[in-house]
Amino acid sequence: MAGPVVDGETTNLSTLSEVARRRLRVGLWVMLGMAVIAVALQPVLAPREGSRAIGAFMMIPTALLALWLIRQQRVPAAVMTLVFGSWLIVTLNTTVHGGVFAAGTYAYPILVVICGWTLGMRVTLALAILTIATEAMLTVAGIQGLISLAPAPAPWQWAVHAVMLVGALGFVGFSIGAYDDQIKYIRALSAELALKVADIEVKNREQERQTLRYRTLLDAQSDAGLGLFMIRNRRITFVNQAVSEMLGYSHEELMALPSYTQLLHPDDLQRVALNHERRLRGESFENRYDIVVQTKSGERREAEITVAVLPGDDEPGVLIILADIHERKRVERELSHSREMFSHVFQSNPTAVAISRVGDGCYLDVNPSHCRLFGWSREEAVGRSSVDLGIWPDQAERERWAAELRKTGQLANWTSEFRDRSGRRLSVAITAEIFALADEPVVLSFVSDYTDLRQAEAGLRKSEERFGRVFQASPVATVVSRLADGAYLDLNEAFTRQFGWTRDEVLATTALKLGIWPDPAVRARWVAALHEKGAVRDFDVELRTRSGERRQCIVSAELIEFDNEQCLIALIHDISDRHRAEDEVRRLNSELEDRVRQRTMELTEANQELESFAYSISHDLRAPLRGIDGFSRLLQEEYDQRLDTQGREYLARVRRAAQRMGTLIDDLLELSRVTRQEMKRQPVDLSAIFLEVTASLRQEQPERAVEVAIEPGCTCQGDPQLLRVLVENLLGNAWKYTRTTPGARIDFGVERQPEGDVFCVRDNGVGFDMAYASKLFAPFQRLHNPNEFEGSGIGLASVWRVVRRHGGQIWAVADVGHGATFRFTLATAPANRQQ
């Protein structure tokens, strides 16, 4: 574009950039400062030459005026002021300090050149002519002596100055002509640039309109509650008002966040950050998903984000649309909870519930109670109507019911007859209501089965009839009387037989009037007990018959409601004969106690004799056995070479017999102790005893590899010593009879039964033939060859006696070659084991 016109020529001052203008202002300020300094220092440096400060003094207003014009955006006028102001200052200095011979006259060519560069050729020509004329006048003034000159003036000196000015003017003209061509070229480029700038402005206006549309869209999203923000280099570069309202941050706080991750709840921080990095790497995956954000106050809120990648030169960014779905999620959870509750109520309702269409009556859903009541499964019922299934046999009645339901919208306790899948008729009551499901009217119906109730009512009537017959036929005297005054309301024949009054004589009167209760105070205590407890059982009292005879009776009574009046029913048992029998029993018990004491003494003596016998076995029989075994061992050791093979065999048999005899004596003593030992019941941990006995067996036979599985916490109440004998014999048997079994295994545990715990010892040993199971617990009875398995046959007999002494039972199940299982109970075992 062209610059301003000065004297008819266009200058290029308007093309000065802001930087050039700034530099021009700086130069003027420097000039102004230098002028102020020069004026201030002149009195100090040259106090007698004040005229030399005229130029510096005039430079101050010139510079100030130029600065003001530049501030007013009038750069050419400011330059013209500066050039002509400087010319005037040079002219004054020249006039005062020597005319054309002064050194300042050399500034004229410089000013002409500056004027040519800044103000154009015409202004420069005018300035040159003015300068030549001024110097001519100064020369004439010097010659005439009007001004003081240092050297004598000469005309040729003026000519020299004029030639210099003309040369400067020629140089300026030539230079300006050369640069005019360049300026024309620049102006052509400027015109072309102006066209492009105009096109750019059009595009900018279109972009502004597009931006306005985007801004309108963004504002609409914000008004709709959709938060929108852009992220680049993990920082938020744009955010709308909805995000601020949603998260509680101001716009400035959001833009100042060092990272967008501060808006994420710790629950979702890692997931969202990882997705962001994957998205920036160009991976493709779901761009819309739910996250958890955190408000400024720390509140946890659920939101849905939609993410799009924004391309960029340095690093791509992302555009995020954030929708607050916290309330929606809450409503969805509540709706889901409501649905779950409805489903639970629907499925677990003991009443038959069905949902069917109003139009055709087809079932949409039925609950399990409906299936149980009518016999049709859900799959069979859904999609079919009750008429199709034959549930509602009377089509006309169903139409009446449906018409009434459509009319009122709901019906309660509509009674009808239904039929189940087997054809059995059901007495039911239907409660139904119409509601909308997915914009379709449906019926929610509840069917209550009163078949059993109807049958119960019929049975109740029969029961009342039977009660009447039983009441009259009962051999026990029974009466119904009013509690308030004791008046008899009903009585049976047994009462009349027992007390002697007829039915008519008793009804409408009271027991006190008849004299049945001899002592009114006793009856008052009985009535008070009835008031307090509602029932009295076995009240022992003496009553009087019509003949005056006193009979010992037991009265049991209970309060009942009869015709909205509080009454009582009483059963009167005559126990006079029983009292006499009890007296006889007490006499016989006394005699029996004497006999028990006598038998106890005899049993004590027998136990003492048994102890003496055990002592004899323990001491008197052991000595000969030790002698036989000892001398046999000496004979075997010292005379072994003198005996032949048969003699040595006989001697070995003698020793084995003596040792077996000793074992039998020990087992008999053990069996005797089991029988005679005093019981000391206390909590016993059978699992712990099994562990101890197992450890002892492993220590005795470390070469055996037997897998023993013991269930922990198997406890009971019993004598710990006797129960240890039981465990040692059962576990010892299992250990012995698995000796020849590869992979031997023994299990101990408890089986929970309704009637009590059953303890179990199981092995996979040689087992036994169940045909001989009856001999299993008898003393000295063995089911295996002694040459195969040692033993005396006393161990299981001891086990049987320990179990019997604890009030339990023991039995065994076995199969030859497949092991045996021993089960036993203890009457004092707890119902459950310790955990």
Side-chain angles (χ1 to χ4, degrees):
M1 296 178 65
V5 177
V6 180
D7 293 336
E9 287 196 2
T10 303
T11 70
N12 59 355
L13 289 175
S14 61
T15 61
L16 289 176
S17 65
E18 183 61 33
V19 174
R21 296 183 185 188
R22 190 181 302 116
R23 289 178 179 175
L24 180 58
R25 284 195 295 269
V26 171
L28 288 171
W29 281 107
V30 171
M31 183 184 296
L32 178 62
M34 296 299 294
V36 171
I37 293 172
V39 171
L41 294 179
Q42 194 278 329
V44 178
L45 299 177
R48 297 180 180 181
E49 299 179 1
S51 60
R52 293 184 180 277
I54 295 175
F57 182 79
M58 291 186 65
M59 184 57 69
I60 292 174
T62 302
L64 289 174
L65 180 59
L67 284 171
W68 180 80
L69 291 171
I70 290 175
R71 185 177 182 85
Q72 297 299 317
Q73 302 295 323
R74 298 169 62 184
V75 176
V79 174
M80 185 174 291
T81 299
L82 184 61
V83 170
F84 281 91
S86 299
W87 182 88
L88 181 59
I89 293 170
V90 171
T91 301
L92 289 174
N93 277 321
T94 302
T95 302
V96 174
H97 296 99
V100 294
F101 301 104
T105 57
Y106 293 102
Y108 285 131
I110 298 174
L111 289 174
V112 171
V113 173
I114 292 174
C115 183
W117 277 98
T118 58
L119 300 177
M121 189 62 188
R122 291 181 183 180
V123 177
T124 304
L125 180 60
L127 182 64
I129 294 173
L130 180 61
T131 302
I132 292 172
T134 300
E135 286 193 347
M137 292 173 62
L138 291 174
T139 302
V140 172
I143 294 173
Q144 296 295 327
L146 298 176
I147 59 175
S148 61
L149 302 175
W156 64 266
Q157 291 178 334
W158 172 80
V160 171
H161 279 275
V163 170
M164 289 178 61
L165 289 172
V166 171
L169 183 62
F171 172 77
V172 170
F174 176 78
S175 299
I176 289 176
Y179 280 99
D180 278 344
D181 294 336
Q182 186 68 23
I183 288 173
K184 290 178 181 178
Y185 175 72
I186 292 173
R187 286 173 180 170
L189 291 178
S190 298
E192 183 179 355
L193 180 61
L195 293 175
K196 292 184 178 180
V197 168
D199 184 56
I200 291 174
E201 288 180 350
V202 172
K203 292 181 180 179
N204 284 340
R205 286 194 293 271
E206 179 62 27
Q207 185 175 5
E208 288 176 359
R209 287 194 294 271
Q210 188 72 19
T211 302
L212 180 60
R213 286 196 292 270
Y214 289 153
R215 173 63 64 183
T216 303
L217 177 61
L218 295 179
D219 292 340
Q221 288 179 333
S222 182
D223 294 340
L226 294 177
L228 188 144
F229 55 93
M230 300 178 187
I231 297 174
R232 198 178 296 274
N233 294 326
R234 303 178 70 87
R235 290 180 63 90
I236 298 174
T237 59
F238 171 80
V239 64
N240 68 353
Q241 182 62 26
V243 177
S244 299
E245 296 174 357
M246 189 184 305
L247 301 180
Y249 291 91
S250 66
H251 181 274
E252 292 72 18
E253 289 173 330
L254 289 169
M255 298 297 292
L257 290 177
S259 174
Y260 74 95
T261 56
Q262 291 186 234
L263 302 177
L264 299 174
H265 192 273
D267 293 350
D268 258 357
L269 177 60
Q270 185 175 3
R271 178 170 70 99
V272 176
L274 179 61
N275 285 348
H276 181 78
E277 298 300 328
R278 291 174 58 197
R279 190 173 287 107
L280 293 182
R281 290 198 299 268
E283 297 185 28
S284 178
F285 55 95
E286 179 63 37
N287 285 328
R288 184 175 182 179
Y289 54 94
D290 295 345
I291 64 169
V292 180
V293 296
Q294 185 169 274
T295 66
K296 183 179 179 180
S297 62
E299 180 186 0
R300 182 183 185 274
R301 296 192 69 82
E302 294 172 290
E304 179 186 74
I305 63 170
T306 303
V307 186
V309 177
L310 297 174
D313 297 334
D314 300 331
E315 181 179 352
V318 294
L319 171 68
I320 297 176
I321 299 176
L322 184 70
D324 188 350
I325 59 173
H326 191 76
E327 288 301 315
R328 189 187 78 191
K329 286 289 187 180
R330 181 185 63 79
V331 172
E332 287 177 354
R333 284 192 293 270
E334 291 178 356
L335 181 59
S336 175
H337 180 63
S338 177
R339 287 174 178 170
E340 289 178 3
M341 288 193 298
F342 173 79
S343 176
H344 177 72
V345 171
F346 181 80
Q347 295 295 329
S348 61
N349 199 318
T351 303
V353 185
I355 301 175
S356 57
R357 281 195 294 265
V358 172
D360 56 10
C362 288
Y363 287 121
L364 300 178
D365 202 358
V366 295
N367 72 343
S369 297
H370 191 281
C371 300
R372 288 192 296 270
L373 178 60
F374 295 106
W376 299 92
S377 67
R378 181 180 182 277
E379 292 73 16
E380 293 171 326
V382 171
R384 302 169 68 185
S385 68
S386 58
V387 176
D388 296 336
L389 298 176
I391 292 176
W392 204 310
D394 191 344
Q395 175 68 11
E397 184 183 2
R398 185 191 181 281
E399 290 298 332
R400 289 195 302 273
W401 173 81
E404 186 67 21
L405 180 60
R406 292 190 189 97
K407 178 181 178 181
T408 61
Q410 59 182 7
L411 288 176
N413 296 323
W414 180 289
T415 60
S416 181
E417 292 287 329
F418 276 9
R419 191 162 48 202
D420 65 9
R421 187 170 189 172
S422 65
R424 183 172 67 97
R425 286 191 171 271
L426 305 173
S427 298
V428 300
I430 312 165
T431 297
E433 182 176 349
I434 296 177
F435 69 99
L437 181 63
D439 298 329
E440 182 182 11
V442 297
V443 178
L444 176 65
S445 58
F446 298 84
V447 181
S448 301
D449 181 15
Y450 290 107
T451 305
D452 294 338
L453 179 60
R454 299 289 184 267
Q455 294 174 353
E457 290 175 350
L460 180 59
R461 288 191 294 270
K462 294 179 181 178
S463 176
E464 289 174 350
E465 295 174 0
R466 286 195 297 268
F467 173 76
R469 289 196 295 270
V470 170
F471 179 77
Q472 292 300 329
S474 174
V476 178
T478 307
V479 295
V480 178
S481 60
R482 233 182 351 249
L483 184 63
D485 56 5
Y488 287 113
L489 302 177
D490 200 359
L491 57 115
N492 66 354
E493 294 180 2
F495 182 86
T496 61
R497 289 195 303 269
Q498 183 171 325
F499 290 96
W501 282 281
T502 66
R503 178 182 177 83
D504 295 336
E505 292 173 332
V506 171
L507 291 180
T509 187
T510 65
L512 291 177
K513 291 180 179 179
L514 293 174
I516 294 177
W517 290 77
D519 189 350
V522 175
R523 187 183 184 280
R525 289 199 306 272
W526 176 69
V527 172
L530 272 173
H531 278 291
E532 180 182 355
K533 301 178 181 178
V536 175
R537 299 285 184 269
D538 299 334
F539 188 82
D540 199 340
V541 65
E542 190 177 60
L543 300 179
R544 187 166 53 195
T545 66
R546 184 173 187 176
S547 62
E549 181 185 2
R550 291 178 179 265
R551 305 287 292 180
Q552 196 68 33
C553 299
I554 288 180
V555 183
S556 295
E558 185 170 343
L559 295 179
I560 60 173
E561 193 77 19
F562 188 71
D563 288 339
N564 296 324
E565 192 173 21
Q566 198 170 25
C567 303
L568 63 88
I569 181 170
L571 282 74
I572 306 170
H573 293 265
D574 187 351
I575 60 170
S576 301
D577 296 336
R578 192 178 77 182
H579 268 222
R580 288 191 293 269
E582 288 176 353
D583 292 339
E584 182 65 19
V585 168
R586 281 192 289 270
R587 185 185 62 79
L588 293 175
N589 283 341
S590 178
E591 294 179 359
L592 181 61
E593 289 176 359
D594 293 338
R595 292 178 184 178
V596 168
R597 282 193 294 271
Q598 183 178 355
R599 291 299 300 272
T600 302
M601 292 176 58
E602 294 175 356
L603 183 60
T604 301
E605 293 175 358
N607 283 336
Q608 291 175 351
E609 292 177 0
L610 183 59
E611 290 178 0
S612 299
F613 175 70
Y615 180 82
S616 298
I617 292 176
S618 177
H619 295 84
D620 298 344
L621 292 181
R622 285 186 183 277
L625 281 175
R626 285 195 296 269
I628 293 171
D629 185 57
F631 283 112
S632 299
R633 179 176 55 78
L634 290 174
L635 185 61
Q636 188 178 33
E637 292 175 356
E638 296 180 6
Y639 293 92
D640 184 67
Q641 299 300 325
R642 302 182 185 182
L643 298 174
D644 56 12
T645 302
Q646 188 173 5
R648 285 193 293 272
E649 177 64 24
Y650 290 159
L651 189 58
R653 288 186 180 182
V654 170
R655 289 203 63 200
R656 285 198 297 273
Q659 293 171 358
R660 178 170 175 76
M661 185 66 179
T663 302
L664 287 174
I665 291 171
D666 291 339
D667 291 343
L668 283 172
L669 290 174
E670 181 65 27
L671 184 60
S672 175
R673 281 195 296 270
V674 168
T675 303
R676 293 181 293 105
Q677 181 175 326
E678 181 182 356
M679 291 277 290
K680 296 180 179 179
R681 286 185 173 82
Q682 63 186 56
V684 178
D685 189 345
L686 290 179
S687 299
I689 297 177
F690 266 90
L691 286 172
E692 294 174 3
V693 175
T694 300
S696 177
L697 290 172
R698 291 190 189 279
Q699 188 175 6
E700 292 176 3
Q701 300 181 24
E703 72 281 359
R704 291 285 307 277
V706 181
E707 182 182 356
V708 180
I710 299 172
E711 183 178 348
C714 297
T715 61
C716 66
Q717 289 281 341
D719 186 280
Q721 294 184 0
L722 292 179
L723 291 176
R724 177 174 287 276
V725 171
L726 178 145
V727 172
E728 288 175 347
N729 282 285
L730 287 180
L731 188 57
N733 267 10
W735 189 276
K736 176 171 64 176
Y737 290 118
T738 56
R739 186 167 58 202
T740 59
T741 303
R745 179 181 174 87
I746 301 172
D747 296 285
F748 168 69
V750 62
E751 299 172 353
R752 306 299 172 188
Q753 301 293 340
E755 57 273 9
D757 293 345
V758 177
F759 299 97
C760 176
V761 180
R762 183 182 292 107
D763 66 72
N764 62 345
V766 297
F768 59 84
D769 190 347
M770 288 296 293
Y772 304 103
S774 59
K775 301 179 179 181
L776 198 61
F777 300 105
F780 304 110
Q781 296 293 329
R782 306 193 71 253
L783 305 185
H784 296 88
N785 194 323
N787 294 329
E788 295 177 350
F789 298 99
E790 69 281 357
S792 62
I794 297 297
L796 289 180
S798 299
V799 169
W800 184 83
R801 295 196 179 188
V802 170
V803 171
R804 295 297 293 178
R805 291 199 67 187
H806 282 80
Q809 295 181 348
I810 184 169
W811 65 97
V813 177
D815 189 9
V816 176
H818 295 86
T821 300
F822 285 84
R823 291 182 173 85
F824 63 91
T825 62
L826 302 171
T828 53
N832 51 14
R833 70 178 186 273
Q834 297 175 354
Q835 297 298 327

